Amino acid sequence: MKVLVTGGAGFIGSNFIRYFLKSHPDSSILNLDKLTYAGNLENLAELQTALNYRFVRCDVADAAQVEQIVQERFDAIVHFAAETHVDRSIAGGREFVQTNVLGTFTMLDAARRHRVPRFLHVGTDEVYGSMKPGEFAREDSAIEPNSPYAASKAGADLLARSFWQTYQYPVITTRCSNNYGPYQFPEKLIPLMIANAIEGKKLPVYGDGLNERDWIFVEDHCRALDRVLEAGLPGELYNIGYGQPVANIEIIRKLLRLLDRSDDLIEYVKDRPGHDRRYALGTERIQREVGWAPAVDIDEGLKRTVEWYRGNSGWMARVCGGEYQAYYEKHYTRRGETLAAL
Ligand code: NAD
Ligand code: TYD
């Protein structure tokens, strides 16, 4: 299979590329990424010289460049590229609309015209909005996005839906809960708390710390996407989650225990505006129709995550110091691996 992955230099995309090429060594991947602050090619350093992996720097909202790339024949597109951090979307949402809405449209439009036979659009559970205690969102639940990030992802999901309804273009959408694991940018809760705890800095907990998220280990998400690519139905929507929401403060206490640090590092700070109280997903459809179930529970996943960050302090230092952003110029442009070389 020849696959075009967008946003493959980010957290989940890079984990997916590694997972996919390991599980399907006969396949090849072209990774298309704009390399925003969240894109880090060092995440895939071990693949840099692999014959079945290529990288191209491109903005998913740039119709002319996307056209040039998609006209090369692909068997599938897996679309991760997005602006992803809720706090940044609160500070300014324009990039979110540009990339998540217009970028998704641009990818869908090129893929449809060039008849790419499968398009997997990677979405988020945040589009359902906040769930009440005991309530779990199903694929037919209403979408009620509350942050500019969630609203822009909901817009992308609706465009994906329209391409199936209008053109019978075989797009599949997934909506996954909060991921954690290796290579996550330290702006999100778990890597930020690990980084701060290692350095003995305070851990900022928004509000009362009782907001719940249905944390899933990134490898479980990658396996789900691989299965959906293989067995998902065109036009279908699949929730992906662990199925057990956990309060933020509980996650933080678990991390502090794993890192052998005191709870005194916890600092309650002003709440995030419009902070969703609880995300929770019903995942019966993917379990029943695709035959996927999560395998890594939160204790095992956090242990593996903490071990990874402890063992990769150089990665974290280069991310925090900004050196990671020079990786592309250093390793790619010199070798002429630009769009023109495709
Ligand atoms: P990330 O922020 O770590 O990575 C995003 C990647 O997209 C980066 O490599 C960035 O350079 C690239 N990108 C951004 N704008 C681009 C553009 N205009 N053109 C091309 N590339 C661009 O994100 P992530 O956490 O890996 O999330 C990947 C996808 O999964 C997103 O669509 C996100 O909405 C979805 N998702 C994430 C989570 C989560 O918990 N992280 C949960 C569910 C769904
Ligand atoms: P985050 O990782 O930003 O993911 P999302 O907002 O997409 O769910 O945040 C996860 C939860 O952790 C969310 O309830 C907000 C909270 N949080 C904190 O309490 N402190 C922090 O510094 C961050 C980044 C998040």
Side-chain angles (χ1 to χ4, degrees):
M1 225 183 167
K2 187 172 162 187
V3 183
L4 175 62
V5 170
T6 72
F11 163 49
I12 306 174
S14 62
N15 275 282
F16 177 79
I17 290 176
R18 198 175 306 103
Y19 176 87
F20 191 84
L21 288 180
K22 205 167 167 190
S23 320
H24 309 278
D26 295 338
S27 292
S28 68
I29 286 183
L30 175 60
N31 175 12
L32 179 168
D33 197 296
K34 182 182 177 184
L35 298 181
T36 66
Y37 78 92
N40 183 354
L41 282 178
E42 196 187 324
N43 296 355
L44 292 167
E46 83 246 38
L47 289 176
Q48 206 183 301
T49 53
L51 294 174
N52 57 352
Y53 168 78
R54 290 174 300 152
F55 173 76
V56 61
R57 189 171 198 174
C58 173
D59 183 336
V60 286
D62 182 333
Q65 275 203 34
V66 165
E67 180 71 19
Q68 206 185 325
I69 292 165
V70 174
Q71 69 188 2
E72 188 184 319
R73 295 220 162 273
F74 292 99
D75 300 308
I77 293 179
V78 185
H79 177 48
F80 292 97
E83 288 291 336
T84 62
H85 190 35
V86 172
D87 292 327
R88 285 180 189 257
S89 81
I90 294 169
R94 183 169 296 278
E95 284 292 310
F96 287 73
V97 176
Q98 173 74 16
T99 290
N100 302 0
V101 181
L102 190 61
T104 299
F105 173 80
T106 306
M107 290 305 306
L108 283 165
D109 185 48
R112 179 183 73 83
R113 285 183 292 93
H114 290 287
R115 297 193 170 83
V116 180
R118 231 163 170 66
F119 190 110
L120 178 49
H121 167 59
V122 180
T124 168
D125 66 348
E126 304 202 18
V127 299
Y128 294 117
S130 201
M131 295 289 115
K132 296 187 182 67
E135 190 186 14
F136 286 79
R138 297 188 341 180
E139 288 84 351
D140 58 1
S141 298
I143 50 171
E144 292 178 350
N146 292 319
S147 69
Y149 164 62
S152 65
K153 290 293 290 186
D157 288 10
L158 295 180
L159 284 166
R161 175 191 155 88
S162 78
F163 269 64
W164 171 247
Q165 296 292 339
T166 306
Y167 310 110
Q168 286 78 54
Y169 179 65
V171 52
I172 305 178
T173 298
T174 54
R175 289 181 180 153
C176 191
S177 58
N178 285 64
N179 284 224
Y180 66 101
Y183 300 101
Q184 189 168 27
F185 197 83
E187 62 183 355
K188 306 278 166 55
L189 180 77
I190 289 177
L192 179 71
M193 298 298 150
I194 295 173
N196 283 10
I198 288 174
E199 287 186 29
K201 287 188 190 158
K202 292 283 185 192
L203 312 190
V205 180
Y206 298 164
D208 60 8
L210 296 178
N211 301 66
E212 294 177 15
R213 299 292 184 262
D214 182 13
W215 297 99
I216 183 173
F217 193 58
V218 64
E219 204 176 283
D220 273 337
H221 185 194
C222 294
R223 193 164 45 80
L225 295 174
D226 188 19
R227 285 292 304 142
V228 167
L229 210 48
E230 199 173 312
L233 297 179
E236 199 51 278
L237 176 62
Y238 298 99
N239 286 348
I240 303 170
Y242 191 77
Q244 273 177 31
V246 183
N248 292 340
I249 193 68
E250 214 180 304
I251 295 288
I252 291 166
R253 292 212 175 99
K254 282 176 190 289
L255 290 172
L256 286 168
R257 276 199 295 277
L258 284 167
L259 288 156
D260 203 18
R261 289 279 196 266
S262 154
D263 281 11
D264 295 347
L265 289 180
I266 293 171
E267 181 175 51
Y268 288 92
V269 300
K270 195 166 169 285
D271 208 356
R272 169 189 281 173
H275 194 175
D276 282 334
R277 193 64 171 167
R278 179 171 181 271
Y279 295 144
L281 279 181
T283 58
E284 295 78 12
R285 178 180 286 171
I286 189 170
Q287 305 223 16
R288 192 180 58 241
E289 294 177 15
V290 179
W292 169 89
V296 182
D297 70 22
I298 189 74
D299 289 315
E300 170 64 16
L302 288 180
K303 191 164 154 273
R304 283 169 65 176
T305 304
V306 164
E307 274 165 15
W308 187 86
Y309 279 96
R310 267 187 161 150
N312 289 275
S313 51
W315 180 91
M316 182 63 100
R318 286 186 291 282
V319 167
C320 294
E323 291 95 322
Y324 74 105
Q325 287 180 310
Y327 192 93
Y328 173 69
E329 278 72 21
K330 201 163 154 204
H331 295 276
Y332 279 86
T333 47
R334 216 179 33 189
R335 291 171 43 209
E337 282 197 28
T338 58
L339 181 62
L342 266 179

